[in-house]
């Protein structure tokens, strides 16, 4: 068969993955035209905005978009045109956990993937390589192929590839510039391997050959779920140990360092925290749990489910420690929560531990003062109303105040809770914070961020995750 050369790429879905990933492809491959399409007009308008007020915050992203937009990078709501013109199409739509029906609460909602696939089938009038970029359950490519083949016109060929994305938010651009690996899964047929080579050639414009891994379709799909499950499992493991540290007087940072020095374990992803958040860890593990159950592997399902349960326990445990320490009641007390994003360097709040903490504090009838350097106010209100459906919005607004700086949030507070590891929280002037707080002044560090000894010297009562009360 004739070699395929990719010259036009379309990406369906201009979100946290589709946007940065395809912007970097456009930057690194000036000879390829990249069009990112989305049904969401506001999102596309933001990507196209003259002042580069992009819909997502990601360090380095604006620079990439500034260089490539209008040259060979385009954003549009014309999904059909994007599909028609492309020879390779990334499907990078959302795959949230199902809310209702079979598999509710566990399985992936593949509705958006299916709609995008059906759209490709409906409008494509020439052969395409269709690439699953979204994280999907094992064997989703088969369903996509069935839909495409059943609807294909003009004898169009569709080759399906799996090319999961491993970027982390906050470091997306550097992850994309220098990925640990690019994974491409294909059918092991002549056509499948040729499609795989064509996509590998795109990445080869900037990724060293040895980092481009080519495997079977099902291995590729499963590897993405496995990677996220194993990363989250490390956090739940260290968080489980943090509870033992608090009860025994061991120090979780010292334990993590000692364990991570073993080259077989490695030092990364062993930072104890108030719990992992983000749009994917929980969703992908639940997806793996559902897959295991469907395959009649209940022990495997129970094993992975425990990673999520431990995370829920960690968040609950932390809120309880706040209440217990504040003399068993926080009713009417002012609590400053520093950080609303699920991690530093992103404005994303999906599954953020901060939401759970604030919900718990509001349930205890505390007055919560929140500050985050990047998250939009509107987003915070949306997340809190969704997290507390039983409370009228006015009640939430009575108990929660949004602040424009850490100092403002901490003023007159009885306790400060650090929920996100923003760098600016390491630079807080704690002397001033202390002077402006009610006494005794408490600090609860859910991110191992503060110098506990120094804060104690100032006069704070300090509680740190993974350390006993004696610190
Ligand atoms: N957020 C992350 O850091 C990572 C996410 N992933 C996976 O990538 C996928 C996408 O995630 P995000 O980019 O975070 O989601 P997102 O929600 O930010 O973006 C998805 C976009 O797809 C659009 N969309 C949905 N259906 C469409 C259709 N039929 N036609 C056109 N546009 C459509 C939505 O309007 C939305 O803008 C998910 O499967 C996720 O699990 C993978 C690695 C990292
Ligand atoms: O599929 C995805 O969506 C992505 O999920 C994660 O990326 P992300 O969720 O953006 O961010 P992480 O850096 O993994 O952090 C996830 C959560 O774990 C927490 N975390 C991380 C590391 C750690 O040691 N301790 C810890 O509590 C973070 O604060 C955050 O709340 C993975 O790291 C990416 O490889 C993957 O592509």
């Amino acid at each position: 068969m004739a070699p395929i050369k990719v010259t036009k790429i379309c990406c369906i879905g201009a979100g946290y993955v589709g946007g940065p990933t395809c912007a970097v492809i456009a930057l690194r491959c000036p000879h390829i035209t990249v069009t990112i399409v989305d049904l969401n007009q506001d999102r596309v308008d933001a990507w196209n905005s003259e002042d580069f007020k992009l819909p997502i915050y990601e360090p380095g992203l604006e620079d990439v978009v500034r260089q490539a937009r209008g040259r060979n990078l385009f954003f549009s709501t014309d999904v059909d045109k994007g599909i028609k013109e492309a020879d390779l199409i990334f499907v990078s739509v959302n795959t949230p956990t199902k809310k209702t029906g079979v598999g509710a609460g566990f399985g992936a909602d593949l509705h958006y993937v299916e709609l995008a696939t059906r759209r490709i089938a409906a409008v494509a009038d020439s052969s395409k390589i269709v690439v699953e970029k979204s994280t999907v359950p094992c064997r989703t490519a088969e369903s996509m192929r069935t839909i495409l083949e059943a609807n294909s016109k003009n004898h169009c060929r569709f080759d399906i590839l799996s090319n999961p994305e491993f970027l982390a938010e906050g470091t997306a651009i550097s992850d994309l510039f220098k990925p640990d690996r690019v994974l491409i899964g294909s059918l092991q047929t002549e056509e499948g391997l040729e499609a795989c080579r064509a996509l590998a050639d795109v990445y080869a414009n900037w990724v060293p050959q040895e980092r481009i891994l080519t495997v079977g379709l099902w291995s590729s799909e499963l590897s993405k779920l496995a990677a996220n499950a194993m990363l989250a499992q490390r956090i739940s493991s260290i968080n489980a140990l943090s509870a033992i540290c608090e009860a025994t007087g061991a120090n979780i940072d010292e334990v993590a360092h000692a364990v991570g020095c073993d080259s077989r374990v490695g030092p990364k992803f062993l930072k104890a925290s108030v719990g992992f958040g983000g749009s994917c860890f929980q969703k992908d593990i639940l997806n793996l749990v559902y897959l295991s159950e469907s395959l009649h592997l209940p022990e495997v399902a129970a094993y992975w489910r425990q990673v999520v349960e431990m995370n829920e326990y960690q968040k609950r445990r932390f809120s309880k420690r706040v209440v217990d320490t504040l003399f068993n009641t926080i009713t009417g007390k002012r609590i400053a929560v520093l950080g609303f994003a699920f991690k530093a360097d992103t404005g994303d709040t999906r599954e953020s531990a901060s939401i759970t903490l604030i919900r718990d504090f509001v349930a205890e009838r505390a007055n919560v003062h929140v500050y985050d350097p990047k998250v939009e106010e509107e987003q915070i209100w949306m997340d809190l109303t969704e997290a507390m459906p039983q409370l009228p919005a006015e009640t939430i607004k009575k108990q929660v105040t949004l602040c424009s700086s850490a100092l403002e949030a901490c003023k007159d507070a009885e306790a400060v809770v650090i929920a996100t590891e923003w760098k600016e929280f390491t630079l807080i002037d704690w002397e001033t914070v202390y002077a402006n707080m009610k006494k005794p002044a408490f600090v609860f560090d859910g991110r191992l961020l503060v110098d506990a000894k120094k804060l104690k010297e100032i006069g704070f009562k300090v509680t740190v995750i993974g350390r006993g009360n004696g610190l």
Side-chain angles (χ1 to χ4, degrees), residues 15-275:
Y16 285 89
V17 168
T21 307
C22 286
V24 166
I25 292 181
L27 183 74
R28 292 295 193 229
C29 310
H31 55 289
I32 298 179
T33 304
V34 179
T35 306
I36 307 178
V37 296
D38 203 295
L39 296 172
N40 184 328
Q41 182 75 55
D42 290 347
R43 235 178 190 183
V44 170
D45 288 348
W47 282 111
N48 280 327
S49 60
E50 273 180 29
D51 55 356
F52 290 86
K53 258 190 156 293
L54 305 181
I56 59 180
Y57 171 71
E58 196 59 67
L61 175 63
E62 186 184 319
D63 189 43
V64 173
V65 175
R66 274 184 189 275
Q67 289 186 61
R69 200 178 75 186
R71 178 188 76 179
N72 64 328
L73 173 66
F74 303 93
F75 296 91
S76 166
T77 47
D78 195 343
V79 178
D80 291 3
K81 182 161 176 271
I83 293 173
K84 261 194 189 113
E85 289 179 350
D87 23 53
L88 184 145
I89 301 167
F90 285 107
V91 176
S92 186
V93 299
N94 32 332
T95 50
T97 305
K98 266 186 98 172
K99 287 203 172 118
T100 54
V102 178
F106 287 93
D109 182 351
L110 294 176
H111 172 76
Y112 303 100
V113 172
E114 179 163 342
L115 279 182
T117 310
R118 285 188 183 275
R119 205 64 222 149
I120 297 171
V123 301
D125 48 16
S126 59
S127 296
K128 313 280 177 202
I129 297 174
V130 179
V131 186
E132 278 175 353
K133 191 52 135 171
S134 299
T135 302
V136 289
C138 201
R139 297 197 83 91
T140 301
E142 194 159 75
S143 317
M144 289 171 78
R145 193 171 54 245
T146 309
I147 293 170
L148 290 167
E149 282 174 358
N151 294 284
S152 117
K153 297 186 301 265
N154 301 342
H155 305 288
C156 294
R157 265 196 67 74
F158 293 106
D159 287 296
I160 322 283
L161 299 176
S162 157
N163 172 221
E165 186 48 62
F166 296 101
L167 67 80
E169 287 177 31
T171 52
I173 298 302
S174 52
D175 293 344
L176 289 163
F177 280 163
K178 268 184 118 193
D180 284 351
R181 79 303 209 183
V182 165
L183 183 62
I184 308 177
S186 68
L187 283 182
Q188 302 299 295
T189 58
E190 194 189 339
E191 294 84 359
L193 292 169
E194 176 53 25
C196 176
R197 194 204 46 74
L199 179 58
D201 278 357
V202 172
Y203 285 109
N205 282 290
W206 78 97
V207 180
Q209 278 302 342
E210 65 278 10
R211 295 201 173 203
I212 304 177
L213 314 182
T214 55
V215 298
L217 259 180
W218 323 130
S219 304
S220 173
E221 289 177 334
L222 185 58
S223 299
K224 173 64 197 178
L225 295 184
N228 272 359
M230 292 187 73
L231 287 169
Q233 182 247 23
R234 276 174 80 94
I235 304 172
S236 277
S237 297
I238 207 74
N239 282 344
L241 290 164
S242 76
I244 300 183
C245 287
E246 287 163 31
T248 56
N251 175 330
I252 196 61
D253 258 347
E254 291 174 357
V255 174
H257 180 67
V259 173
C261 277
D262 186 323
S263 60
R264 293 167 302 176
V265 177
K268 292 185 183 164
F269 251 71
L270 287 179
K271 195 90 183 153
S273 67
V274 62

Side-chain angles (χ1 to χ4, degrees), residues 408-421:
E408 184 191 328
C410 297
K411 192 167 182 320
D412 295 327
E414 317 220 7
V416 177
V417 171
I418 299 171
T420 311
E421 72 284 23

